[in-house]
Amino acid sequence: MQTNLEVKKTLVFRDKEYKCGIEVTLAVIGGKWKAAILYHLAQQTMRFSELQRYFTNTTRKMLTQQLRELERDGLVHREVYPQVPPKVEYWLTDEGRSIKPILDLMCEWGVGHAEK
Amino acid sequence: MQTNLEVKKTLVFRDKEYKCGIEVTLAVIGGKWKAAILYHLAQQTMRFSELQRYFTNTTRKMLTQQLRELERDGLVHREVYPQVPPKVEYWLTDEGRSIKPILDLMCEWGVGHAEK
DNA sequence: CAGTATCCCACAGGATACTG
DNA sequence: CAGTATCCTGTGGGATACTG
Protein backbone atom coordinates (compact mmCIF):
# COMPACT_ATOMS: atom_id res chain seq x y z
CA MET A 1 0.00 0.00 0.00
CA GLN A 2 1.16 3.46 -0.66
CA THR A 3 -0.21 6.94 -0.68
CA ASN A 4 -0.16 9.37 -3.54
CA LEU A 5 2.71 11.16 -1.95
CA GLU A 6 5.01 8.24 -1.70
CA VAL A 7 5.35 8.01 -5.45
CA LYS A 8 6.23 11.69 -5.85
CA LYS A 9 9.79 12.89 -6.12
CA THR A 10 11.15 15.07 -3.37
CA LEU A 11 11.12 18.81 -3.89
CA VAL A 12 14.11 21.01 -3.38
CA PHE A 13 13.67 24.53 -2.08
CA ARG A 14 16.51 26.66 -0.81
CA ASP A 15 18.83 23.69 -0.45
CA LYS A 16 16.41 21.72 1.64
CA GLU A 17 14.45 18.67 0.65
CA TYR A 18 10.72 18.46 1.07
CA LYS A 19 8.50 15.48 0.56
CA CYS A 20 5.50 17.43 -0.59
CA GLY A 21 4.41 20.87 -1.64
CA ILE A 22 2.72 21.51 1.66
CA GLU A 23 6.03 21.50 3.46
CA VAL A 24 7.41 24.04 1.01
CA THR A 25 4.40 26.27 1.47
CA LEU A 26 4.73 26.10 5.23
CA ALA A 27 8.41 26.93 4.95
CA VAL A 28 7.41 30.11 3.14
CA ILE A 29 4.34 31.27 5.04
CA GLY A 30 4.66 29.29 8.27
CA GLY A 31 6.34 32.04 10.25
CA LYS A 32 4.31 33.41 13.11
CA TRP A 33 3.26 36.56 11.27
CA LYS A 34 3.95 35.87 7.64
CA ALA A 35 0.56 34.69 6.54
CA ALA A 36 -1.10 37.62 8.25
CA ILE A 37 1.37 40.03 6.69
CA LEU A 38 0.68 38.60 3.26
CA TYR A 39 -3.04 38.75 3.86
CA HIS A 40 -2.76 42.44 4.66
CA LEU A 41 -0.54 43.27 1.73
CA ALA A 42 -3.00 41.45 -0.48
CA GLN A 43 -5.52 44.16 0.37
CA GLN A 44 -3.22 47.09 -0.25
CA THR A 45 0.30 48.42 -0.44
CA MET A 46 1.48 49.40 3.01
CA ARG A 47 4.46 51.19 4.44
CA PHE A 48 6.41 49.89 7.36
CA SER A 49 4.78 52.10 9.94
CA GLU A 50 1.33 51.04 8.82
CA LEU A 51 2.21 47.41 9.25
CA GLN A 52 3.63 48.25 12.64
CA ARG A 53 0.43 49.98 13.62
CA TYR A 54 -1.53 46.85 12.88
CA PHE A 55 0.90 44.34 14.37
CA THR A 56 1.04 45.99 17.76
CA ASN A 57 2.26 42.80 19.42
CA THR A 58 5.20 42.48 17.12
CA THR A 59 8.58 44.12 17.42
CA ARG A 60 10.16 46.11 14.60
CA LYS A 61 12.83 43.48 14.43
CA MET A 62 10.37 40.67 13.83
CA LEU A 63 8.42 42.61 11.25
CA THR A 64 11.60 43.49 9.40
CA GLN A 65 12.86 39.95 9.56
CA GLN A 66 9.69 38.37 8.29
CA LEU A 67 9.34 40.96 5.54
CA ARG A 68 12.90 40.33 4.39
CA GLU A 69 12.31 36.63 4.24
CA LEU A 70 9.16 37.14 2.24
CA GLU A 71 11.13 39.43 -0.05
CA ARG A 72 13.89 36.85 -0.42
CA ASP A 73 11.27 34.24 -1.29
CA GLY A 74 9.92 36.52 -3.98
CA LEU A 75 6.48 37.15 -2.52
CA VAL A 76 6.92 40.73 -1.45
CA HIS A 77 8.43 43.75 -3.14
CA ARG A 78 10.19 46.34 -1.01
CA GLU A 79 10.40 49.85 -2.39
CA VAL A 80 12.63 52.39 -0.69
CA TYR A 81 11.97 56.04 -1.47
CA PRO A 82 15.20 57.98 -1.05
CA GLN A 83 13.93 60.84 1.04
CA VAL A 84 14.04 62.19 4.56
CA PRO A 85 12.33 60.98 6.58
CA PRO A 86 12.62 57.57 4.94
CA LYS A 87 9.63 55.94 3.34
CA VAL A 88 9.46 52.26 2.54
CA GLU A 89 6.52 50.56 0.95
CA TYR A 90 5.73 46.91 0.68
CA TRP A 91 3.47 45.23 -1.81
CA LEU A 92 2.92 41.77 -3.19
CA THR A 93 4.66 40.51 -6.28
CA ASP A 94 2.78 38.39 -8.80
CA GLU A 95 4.12 35.34 -7.00
CA GLY A 96 2.84 36.78 -3.75
CA ARG A 97 -0.58 37.42 -5.18
CA SER A 98 -0.71 33.83 -6.41
CA ILE A 99 -0.96 32.67 -2.81
CA LYS A 100 -3.96 34.81 -2.00
CA PRO A 101 -6.56 32.07 -2.61
CA ILE A 102 -4.86 29.99 0.06
CA LEU A 103 -4.84 32.86 2.51
CA ASP A 104 -8.50 33.54 1.90
CA LEU A 105 -9.38 29.92 2.53
CA MET A 106 -7.20 29.78 5.63
CA CYS A 107 -8.84 32.89 7.01
CA GLU A 108 -12.31 31.56 6.40
CA TRP A 109 -11.55 28.14 7.85
CA GLY A 110 -9.86 29.64 10.90
CA VAL A 111 -12.85 31.81 11.68
CA GLY A 112 -15.16 28.84 11.38
CA HIS A 113 -12.95 26.62 13.50
CA ALA A 114 -12.56 29.21 16.26
CA GLU A 115 -16.29 29.50 16.65
CA LYS A 116 -16.60 25.98 18.04
CA MET B 1 -6.95 54.23 6.39
CA GLN B 2 -7.62 50.75 7.53
CA THR B 3 -7.61 47.26 6.15
CA ASN B 4 -10.47 44.83 6.18
CA LEU B 5 -8.91 43.07 9.12
CA GLU B 6 -8.73 46.04 11.39
CA VAL B 7 -12.47 46.26 11.65
CA LYS B 8 -12.91 42.60 12.54
CA LYS B 9 -13.29 41.41 16.09
CA THR B 10 -10.59 39.25 17.56
CA LEU B 11 -11.08 35.52 17.57
CA VAL B 12 -10.64 33.35 20.60
CA PHE B 13 -9.31 29.83 20.24
CA ARG B 14 -8.09 27.73 23.14
CA ASP B 15 -7.83 30.73 25.43
CA LYS B 16 -5.68 32.72 23.04
CA GLU B 17 -6.64 35.73 21.02
CA TYR B 18 -6.11 35.89 17.31
CA LYS B 19 -6.57 38.85 15.04
CA CYS B 20 -7.64 36.86 12.05
CA GLY B 21 -8.64 33.40 10.96
CA ILE B 22 -5.29 32.77 9.36
CA GLU B 23 -3.58 32.82 12.71
CA VAL B 24 -6.04 30.28 14.06
CA THR B 25 -5.48 28.02 11.09
CA LEU B 26 -1.72 28.23 11.51
CA ALA B 27 -2.10 27.45 15.20
CA VAL B 28 -3.83 24.24 14.18
CA ILE B 29 -1.84 23.07 11.17
CA GLY B 30 1.35 25.10 11.57
CA GLY B 31 3.33 22.39 13.34
CA LYS B 32 6.23 21.04 11.40
CA TRP B 33 4.47 17.85 10.31
CA LYS B 34 0.81 18.50 10.90
CA ALA B 35 -0.20 19.66 7.46
CA ALA B 36 1.59 16.75 5.87
CA ILE B 37 -0.02 14.32 8.31
CA LEU B 38 -3.45 15.70 7.52
CA TYR B 39 -2.75 15.54 3.82
CA HIS B 40 -1.92 11.87 4.13
CA LEU B 41 -4.88 11.01 6.28
CA ALA B 42 -7.06 12.79 3.76
CA GLN B 43 -6.12 10.10 1.27
CA GLN B 44 -6.76 7.18 3.57
CA THR B 45 -7.00 5.85 7.07
CA MET B 46 -3.58 4.91 8.36
CA ARG B 47 -2.19 3.15 11.35
CA PHE B 48 0.65 4.49 13.38
CA SER B 49 3.30 2.30 11.82
CA GLU B 50 2.25 3.35 8.35
CA LEU B 51 2.62 6.99 9.23
CA GLN B 52 5.98 6.19 10.74
CA ARG B 53 7.07 4.46 7.58
CA TYR B 54 6.34 7.60 5.60
CA PHE B 55 7.74 10.11 8.04
CA THR B 56 11.15 8.53 8.29
CA ASN B 57 12.72 11.76 9.53
CA THR B 58 10.33 12.04 12.43
CA THR B 59 10.58 10.40 15.80
CA ARG B 60 7.75 8.36 17.29
CA LYS B 61 7.46 10.98 19.96
CA MET B 62 6.89 13.78 17.49
CA LEU B 63 4.38 11.81 15.46
CA THR B 64 2.47 10.91 18.60
CA GLN B 65 2.55 14.46 19.87
CA GLN B 66 1.34 16.02 16.66
CA LEU B 67 -1.36 13.39 16.25
CA ARG B 68 -2.60 14.01 19.78
CA GLU B 69 -2.78 17.72 19.16
CA LEU B 70 -4.70 17.19 15.96
CA GLU B 71 -7.00 14.87 17.88
CA ARG B 72 -7.47 17.46 20.61
CA ASP B 73 -8.31 20.05 17.96
CA GLY B 74 -10.94 17.73 16.56
CA LEU B 75 -9.39 17.12 13.16
CA VAL B 76 -8.28 13.55 13.65
CA HIS B 77 -9.97 10.52 15.14
CA ARG B 78 -7.86 7.95 16.96
CA GLU B 79 -9.20 4.43 17.14
CA VAL B 80 -7.54 1.91 19.41
CA TYR B 81 -8.25 -1.76 18.73
CA PRO B 82 -7.90 -3.71 21.96
CA GLN B 83 -5.74 -6.53 20.74
CA VAL B 84 -2.20 -7.84 20.93
CA PRO B 85 -0.15 -6.62 19.27
CA PRO B 86 -1.83 -3.24 19.51
CA LYS B 87 -3.37 -1.61 16.50
CA VAL B 88 -4.22 2.05 16.32
CA GLU B 89 -5.75 3.74 13.35
CA TYR B 90 -6.06 7.40 12.54
CA TRP B 91 -8.49 9.05 10.22
CA LEU B 92 -9.90 12.47 9.60
CA THR B 93 -13.06 13.71 11.26
CA ASP B 94 -15.55 15.79 9.31
CA GLU B 95 -13.82 18.86 10.68
CA GLY B 96 -10.53 17.45 9.48
CA ARG B 97 -11.87 16.77 6.03
CA SER B 98 -13.13 20.34 5.84
CA ILE B 99 -9.54 21.55 5.68
CA LYS B 100 -8.65 19.39 2.72
CA PRO B 101 -9.22 22.10 0.06
CA ILE B 102 -6.61 24.23 1.82
CA LEU B 103 -4.13 21.37 1.93
CA ASP B 104 -4.65 20.65 -1.75
CA LEU B 105 -4.02 24.28 -2.65
CA MET B 106 -0.99 24.45 -0.40
CA CYS B 107 0.45 21.35 -1.96
CA GLU B 108 -0.07 22.64 -5.47
CA TRP B 109 1.34 26.07 -4.70
CA GLY B 110 4.36 24.62 -2.92
CA VAL B 111 5.24 22.42 -5.86
CA GLY B 112 4.98 25.37 -8.21
CA HIS B 113 7.00 27.62 -5.96
CA ALA B 114 9.78 25.08 -5.46
CA GLU B 115 10.28 24.77 -9.20
CA LYS B 116 11.59 28.31 -9.49
C1' DC C 1 10.73 56.79 9.67
C1' DA C 2 12.60 52.57 9.25
C1' DG C 3 15.44 50.28 10.43
C1' DT C 4 20.22 47.46 13.02
C1' DA C 5 22.77 45.49 16.96
C1' DT C 6 22.84 42.79 21.13
C1' DC C 7 21.53 39.94 24.29
C1' DC C 8 18.28 36.53 25.96
C1' DC C 9 15.01 32.70 26.68
C1' DA C 10 11.07 29.57 26.12
C1' DC C 11 9.79 25.92 23.91
C1' DA C 12 9.17 23.20 19.67
C1' DG C 13 11.32 19.52 18.32
C1' DG C 14 15.04 15.63 18.63
C1' DA C 15 17.88 11.35 20.68
C1' DT C 16 17.75 7.58 23.29
C1' DA C 17 15.95 4.19 26.24
C1' DC C 18 12.24 1.75 28.38
C1' DT C 19 7.18 -0.66 28.37
C1' DG C 20 2.05 -2.48 28.31
C1' DC D 1 2.90 -2.36 17.74
C1' DA D 2 2.43 1.80 19.60
C1' DG D 3 3.55 4.07 22.44
C1' DT D 4 5.88 6.85 27.27
C1' DA D 5 9.80 8.86 29.98
C1' DT D 6 13.91 11.65 30.17
C1' DC D 7 16.94 14.56 28.93
C1' DC D 8 18.79 17.85 25.73
C1' DT D 9 19.45 21.44 22.01
C1' DG D 10 18.56 24.90 18.27
C1' DT D 11 16.31 28.59 17.03
C1' DG D 12 12.23 31.32 16.45
C1' DG D 13 10.99 35.05 18.51
C1' DG D 14 11.29 38.95 22.23
C1' DA D 15 13.36 43.27 24.99
C1' DT D 16 15.99 47.04 24.78
C1' DA D 17 18.98 50.34 22.93
C1' DC D 18 21.21 52.66 19.19
C1' DT D 19 21.32 55.01 14.09
C1' DG D 20 21.33 56.82 8.96
Side-chain angles (χ1 to χ4, degrees):
Chain A
M1 147 151 63
Q2 51 181 20
T3 69
N4 290 355
L5 281 170
E6 281 169 324
V7 297
K8 288 182 185 171
K9 290 174 295 192
T10 61
L11 298 164
V12 175
F13 174 58
R14 277 199 262 115
D15 298 332
K16 285 189 185 169
E17 288 208 346
Y18 298 88
K19 295 187 115 178
C20 78
I22 288 180
E23 295 174 22
V24 176
T25 304
L26 276 183
V28 174
I29 69 168
K32 192 168 181 181
W33 314 97
K34 286 184 185 174
I37 290 173
L38 290 172
Y39 188 75
H40 271 72
L41 293 181
Q43 324 291 326
Q44 69 200 293
T45 291
M46 295 179 82
R47 44 192 299 190
F48 190 80
S49 54
E50 289 170 341
L51 285 166
Q52 240 187 293
R53 210 168 303 136
Y54 179 73
F55 292 97
T56 48
N57 294 328
T58 317
T59 58
R60 270 187 299 278
K61 174 195 159 188
M62 283 317 302
L63 260 186
T64 304
Q65 199 177 95
Q66 309 254 310
L67 283 165
R68 290 296 150 81
E69 290 176 15
L70 290 171
E71 190 189 2
R72 179 200 58 193
D73 289 335
L75 304 195
V76 162
H77 175 82
R78 176 170 178 264
E79 184 74 24
V80 182
Y81 300 91
Q83 60 186 48
V84 178
K87 173 178 171 182
V88 179
E89 286 190 336
Y90 294 90
W91 61 75
L92 294 193
T93 61
D94 288 343
E95 181 74 3
R97 270 187 295 275
S98 75
I99 212 175
K100 190 167 183 301
I102 297 180
L103 300 174
D104 290 338
L105 268 186
M106 287 178 73
C107 191
E108 194 183 325
W109 189 90
V111 171
H113 190 70
E115 277 166 359
K116 310 195 172 167
Chain B
M1 150 155 60
Q2 53 181 19
T3 68
N4 290 356
L5 282 171
E6 281 168 326
V7 297
K8 287 183 186 171
K9 290 175 294 191
T10 61
L11 299 164
V12 176
F13 174 58
R14 277 200 262 113
D15 298 332
K16 286 189 184 171
E17 288 207 347
Y18 298 88
K19 294 188 114 177
C20 77
I22 288 181
E23 296 173 22
V24 176
T25 304
L26 276 184
V28 174
I29 67 167
K32 193 167 181 182
W33 314 97
K34 285 183 186 174
I37 289 173
L38 290 172
Y39 188 74
H40 270 72
L41 293 181
Q43 324 291 326
Q44 69 199 294
T45 291
M46 295 179 82
R47 46 193 300 192
F48 190 79
S49 54
E50 289 170 341
L51 284 167
Q52 240 187 292
R53 210 167 304 136
Y54 179 74
F55 292 96
T56 47
N57 294 327
T58 317
T59 59
R60 270 187 298 276
K61 175 193 160 190
M62 284 316 302
L63 260 187
T64 304
Q65 198 177 94
Q66 309 255 312
L67 283 165
R68 290 296 150 81
E69 288 177 15
L70 290 171
E71 189 188 4
R72 179 200 58 193
D73 289 335
L75 304 195
V76 162
H77 175 82
R78 176 170 179 266
E79 184 74 25
V80 181
Y81 300 91
Q83 59 185 50
V84 178
K87 172 178 170 181
V88 179
E89 286 189 335
Y90 295 90
W91 61 75
L92 294 192
T93 61
D94 288 343
E95 182 74 4
R97 271 187 294 275
S98 75
I99 212 176
K100 188 166 184 303
I102 298 180
L103 301 174
D104 289 338
L105 268 185
M106 287 178 73
C107 191
E108 194 182 326
W109 189 90
V111 172
H113 190 70
E115 279 166 358
K116 313 198 171 163

